[in-house]
Amino acid sequence: MIWLIVKYAVTAGMVVLISEVAKRSDRLGGLLAALPLMTFLVLIWMKLEGQTQEKIASHAWYTFWYVLPTLPMFLCFPLIFQRGGFWVALLVSCIMTVVIFWGYALVLRRFGLELM
């Protein structure tokens, strides 16, 4: 139980740290948010919890493929935000990401990579 609390605290602490840095510096906050810090934490948690090498490697492999269809959101969100406001931009970005991911998964399936 203590281990689970430590994991929650460290992971939440990273989110809070990044949001606090972003208040002071857009660039540094963006850089920290773009780094795969959460993925690194997950890989560390998996290793410390005794997951197999195959399981950890598979997690990293699929993380790569899942990140790619989310990237257009970072270009569209600021444009939509300026025109429609925060909540509209967030909603449109989420819908757009799901649609792009779905299409992306269908294309990759043709090449033998199952994401869903």
Side-chain angles (χ1 to χ4, degrees), residues 4-42:
L4 188 59
I5 292 170
V6 168
K7 284 174 42 176
Y8 276 126
V10 171
T11 304
M14 292 300 298
V15 172
V16 171
L17 173 68
I18 292 168
S19 68
E20 290 299 314
V21 168
K23 286 181 191 176
R24 291 159 182 75
S25 170
D26 296 336
R27 289 187 179 107
L28 186 55
L31 173 62
L32 289 175
L35 294 173
L37 297 173
M38 289 302 151
T39 301
F40 287 155
L41 279 176
V42 170

